Amino acid sequence: MIAARLYGSVYLAVHLRGQAGYPFRPLAAIERDRDRRVRAMVAYAYRLVPYYRETMDRLGLRPADFRTAADLARLPILERDQLQRDPEYFVSTAQPLDRYLRLRSGGSTGAPRTIYHDVRALLQNRAHAERESPIIARFVGRRWGYRMASVGSPLSSGQEIGRFLGARSFTPPSLRIERQALSLFDPPEENVRRINVLRPDILHSYGSYLEVLFGYLHASGESFHRPKLITYTSDGMSDSVRRLIEQEFHIPVLSTYQAIEALRIAFECEQHLGLHLNVDLYPLRIVDENGRDRPLGESGDIVISNLVNRATVLLNYRLGDVATLRADRCPCGRSLPLLSFPEGRSDDLIQLPGGGVMHPQAIRIIFTHEPQVWQYQVMQETATRFRIAIVASPSCDRAQTSVRVREGFIRTFGSEIQVEIEFVDSIPRTRGGKVRPVLSLCQQSALSGQDHG
Ligand SMILES: [Zn+2]
C-alpha cells in the first residue's frame, strides 16, 4: 500500500508540472495536446472498450480515422439512456471493475448514472485543479494553507474521490487545504452559526444552496463572517442572487463546471465572463437535438468527450446541459475558450411542513442507489404530499423500488407525509427539452419574494 501511495504521489507530482500556467499557453499548442489525446484515447477505446470496438467496426471506422477533435463527431452521439441501460458496456476491460472508483449520481438532471473512474485519471484531475489555483489565490491572498468550508452532502462524489485517493497517494503540502465539511441538510441558521465560528477563507457549495443561505441572511439581517471568496459548482444560481452576494455582501463569486462524467470541464476566471474550457482534456461541441453542430454563439446541447478517464470511456456524449460557446477571447489572457454559464440545472426547493426549506439534493440522494431508475420527477403538491413519476428499466422490481423510495422520503421528510408513486413510460419535458426532476407547487422564492433583478 505504501508503494502504491508513493507511486500515486510521484504520478501526481509529474502531472502538476506546468498546470498553473497552462491556460495561458498558445491555443495552437493546447490544440496539439488535445489532438494527441484524441488519437491516444480512440486507439485505447477501440482496443479495450466493447462499445467503441463494436460501433467503429459496424461503421467501418479505424483509430487512424481520428486525427483531431473534430473527428470525434464521426462517432454517433452517445445518449445518457444508453449509458444507463448498460454502464459496463462503456468500461475499459484493461482492469477488473473493482479496481476503479464507481461513482453514482442521483443527478441534478433526474437521471441517475453510474460512472467508473481510474486512479490515474483522478490523480490527473487533482493536478488539473492547479489551473484554477492562481485565480483563487488572487482573492484569498495565498496559494495554500487557506481554510475552506464546504456545504455539501456526506455522500457526495467529491468526498468519495477524496477517500479513494487518500488511500492511493500522499497529498503534497502545496495542495493542502484545511477543509471543514458542513451539511446542506442542516437549516441555514445552523450553518451560519458554524461559519461564524469556523471563519473560512472560502465558502464552497452548490449554487442552489447558496441561494438558500443568502436568501436567509438577507431576510434575517443576521451577522455573518464574510469569506474572501465564494465558489460553487454550477447547478444553478440565479443572476439576482449572484448580484446580491457580490454587491450587497461584497463577496466575489467564482463557479466551476463539472459533471460526474467529466470532473473538470471548465472554470470561471476573475473577469467573470463565462467559463474557461479545459478543451485539451474535455473537447466540447454544441449541437441541436438532431446532433448537428450549432453556429458559434448560439445555444444548444453540450456534447463532450472525456480524454482523461480510462475506466468509463465517454466520447461524443450528450451531457444533458445547455450552453453557448462564445466567439470572443477573454481579456484575462487565458487561451482556453469561453463557455457561457450553463442554463437550467436548478430545481425547486422543498418546503418543509414546519415552514423551512430543504435543498433538492436530499431527493437526489434517495435515487442515487436505485440503478433500475432511469429517470424520475418529484412533484411536491403540498407541504406534506409528494407525487413521484418513475421511468424504470424492464427488469426493475417495481414493488420493492416503491417501498425503498417511499421509505427514503419518510426518512428525509417525516412520517406525516404522503407519497404517491407511479411508473410511467416517459416524463414530460420543458420547453427547453429538459426534465425538471424536482418541482414544488408550494414554492416560495429563496429571497422571500423580494426582487433584486
Ligand atoms: Zn478569463
Side-chain angles (χ1 to χ4, degrees):
M1 212 52 190
I2 294 277
R5 288 182 75 184
L6 279 172
Y7 170 82
S9 303
V10 171
Y11 187 85
L12 176 58
V14 168
H15 282 84
L16 276 170
R17 280 219 324 256
Q19 287 300 332
Y22 191 88
F24 295 94
R25 299 200 62 200
L27 187 58
I30 291 169
E31 288 175 345
R32 271 199 303 278
D33 287 346
R34 175 197 68 192
D35 293 341
R36 181 176 48 73
R37 284 198 183 91
V38 167
R39 294 190 288 272
M41 188 57 91
V42 172
Y44 176 85
Y46 183 70
R47 198 154 47 85
L48 291 162
V49 183
Y51 166 79
Y52 295 98
R53 162 71 76 155
E54 285 163 30
T55 302
M56 286 168 65
D57 279 348
R58 178 164 54 79
L59 299 174
L61 292 167
R62 290 287 168 271
D65 297 324
F66 295 79
R67 307 304 304 161
T68 71
D71 295 323
L72 291 166
R74 302 176 75 162
L75 290 167
I77 289 184
L78 175 55
E79 304 289 350
R80 200 168 45 207
D81 58 337
Q82 293 174 271
L83 181 67
Q84 286 179 296
R85 275 191 188 112
D86 191 0
E88 274 82 46
Y89 190 34
F90 302 90
V91 180
S92 164
T93 55
Q95 297 183 53
L97 279 183
D98 62 8
R99 296 280 289 278
Y100 303 133
L101 175 64
R102 178 179 181 275
L103 292 179
R104 278 281 295 170
S105 160
S108 52
T109 51
R113 286 95 65 210
T114 302
I115 311 282
Y116 295 87
H117 293 265
D118 71 300
V119 184
R120 290 184 181 196
L122 294 170
L123 289 166
Q124 286 182 49
N125 281 312
R126 187 172 271 196
H128 297 144
E130 277 300 283
R131 295 181 183 188
E132 300 155 32
S133 70
I135 306 169
I136 292 171
R138 208 186 158 107
F139 291 104
V140 175
R142 49 173 147 169
R143 285 288 282 278
W144 52 78
Y146 53 78
R147 283 195 309 277
M148 176 159 155
S150 231
V151 190
S153 120
L155 300 170
S156 74
S157 37
Q159 303 238 8
E160 283 194 61
I161 292 168
R163 285 192 288 271
F164 186 80
L165 282 186
R168 288 164 181 83
S169 61
F170 300 101
T171 303
S174 63
L175 296 185
R176 243 169 245 161
I177 300 166
E178 194 186 319
R179 287 175 201 276
Q180 305 149 335
L182 304 178
S183 168
L184 95 164
F185 305 126
D186 289 334
E189 57 270 29
E190 182 68 33
N191 278 332
V192 165
R193 199 185 52 75
R194 289 194 191 122
I195 289 164
N196 285 342
V197 173
L198 297 167
R199 308 182 64 76
D201 299 296
I202 298 180
L203 176 63
H204 176 81
S205 191
Y206 295 90
S208 49
Y209 184 79
L210 292 167
E211 290 206 354
V212 179
L213 191 77
F214 281 89
Y216 164 78
L217 283 171
H218 178 73
S220 70
E222 200 165 311
S223 73
F224 178 60
H225 162 75
R226 283 195 298 119
K228 296 178 182 132
L229 177 67
I230 286 188
T231 60
Y232 71 97
T233 49
S234 50
D235 78 326
M237 183 192 285
S238 62
D239 284 348
S240 58
V241 174
R242 234 189 117 122
R243 273 201 301 275
L244 171 78
I245 298 174
E246 288 168 340
Q247 293 171 13
E248 193 170 311
F249 290 88
H250 305 290
I251 309 171
V253 177
L254 289 176
S255 68
T256 57
Y257 181 34
Q258 57 192 63
I260 187 176
E261 291 94 337
L263 296 176
R264 220 165 269 287
I265 301 170
F267 58 90
E268 183 176 342
C269 76
E270 64 280 0
Q271 298 286 336
H272 311 290
L273 293 174
L275 298 156
H276 283 285
L277 286 161
N278 286 317
V279 279
D280 57 317
L281 311 169
Y282 308 103
L284 176 145
R285 305 164 60 203
I286 302 292
V287 303
D288 64 19
E289 55 194 32
N290 298 315
R292 283 185 300 253
D293 282 301
R294 300 280 289 149
L296 206 60
E298 289 184 24
S299 96
D301 291 345
I302 293 178
V303 168
I304 203 154
S305 295
N306 185 333
L307 305 180
V308 179
N309 186 13
R310 293 192 164 211
T312 295
V313 176
L314 296 175
L315 302 174
N316 215 34
Y317 170 79
R318 199 192 303 259
L319 198 52
D321 289 326
V322 173
T324 306
L325 263 176
R326 297 183 50 147
D328 46 338
R329 284 283 296 266
C330 186
C332 72
R334 290 178 182 81
S335 311
L336 296 174
L338 281 178
L339 183 76
S340 69
F341 296 106
E343 306 160 12
R345 263 194 176 191
S346 62
D347 280 331
D348 289 348
L349 300 167
I350 303 300
Q351 304 297 314
L352 297 172
V357 293
M358 192 178 273
H359 191 271
Q361 183 71 11
I363 285 180
R364 296 177 200 152
I365 280 174
I366 296 171
F367 289 97
T368 298
H369 301 290
E370 294 295 341
Q372 305 295 318
V373 173
W374 286 346
Q375 185 88 50
Y376 65 84
Q377 186 169 53
V378 173
M379 182 95 75
Q380 183 178 30
E381 294 178 323
T382 69
T384 55
R385 198 165 69 235
F386 292 89
R387 206 149 47 90
I388 304 168
I390 291 177
V391 180
S393 79
S395 61
C396 174
D397 182 332
R398 294 177 172 202
Q400 289 278 332
T401 303
S402 299
V403 168
R404 282 194 304 268
V405 169
R406 180 170 285 111
E407 281 172 355
F409 271 79
I410 288 172
R411 216 170 28 245
T412 311
F413 300 108
S415 55
E416 70 270 40
I417 62 157
Q418 296 166 25
V419 183
E420 189 187 314
I421 297 171
E422 189 185 2
F423 286 84
V424 296
D425 295 328
S426 66
I427 288 171
R429 289 169 186 276
T430 62
R431 208 161 35 82
K434 302 289 156 230
V435 166
R436 295 280 307 275
V438 179
L439 289 164
S440 179
L441 301 180
C442 42
Q443 172 78 0
Q444 348 160 240
S445 159
L447 292 177
S448 316
Q450 294 181 54
D451 184 25
H452 295 267

